[in-house]
Amino acid sequence: MSIKKTKRTRHTEEFKAEALKLADLIGVAKAARQLSLHESQLYAWRKALKHSASISGRE
C-alpha cells in the first residue's frame, strides 16, 4: 500500500490578509468554508499576525 503525499499550498501574505478581513466580516467558520481552508489555518494566521505586530512594536 502506498501513501500519496499532497503538496502543501503556500498562500501569499496578501491572501492571508484578505482571508482574515473576510473572517472578521462573516466569521471564521464561514470564511474557511468559502475559501476552502481549515478554520485552524485562519486562527494560526491571526495569531502570527498579532505576534509579529507585538514584536515590531517593541524597540
Side-chain angles (χ1 to χ4, degrees):
M1 183 196 274
S2 64
I3 298 174
K4 189 174 185 179
K5 291 187 176 184
T6 58
K7 191 167 184 151
R8 291 183 181 204
T9 304
R10 289 199 152 276
H11 298 286
T12 63
E13 294 302 317
E14 293 82 20
F15 178 84
K16 292 176 184 181
E18 290 298 318
L20 290 174
K21 285 181 191 175
L22 182 64
D24 287 340
L25 288 173
I26 65 173
V28 173
K30 203 170 191 179
R33 277 194 306 272
Q34 190 171 353
L35 297 170
S36 299
L37 300 170
H38 290 275
E39 290 179 38
S40 61
Q41 282 181 294
L42 292 173
Y43 286 119
W45 293 346
R46 183 184 286 166
K47 183 178 179 181
L49 183 65
K50 287 182 181 180
H51 180 71
S52 67
S54 67
I55 289 176
S56 65
R58 295 181 186 167
E59 292 193 29

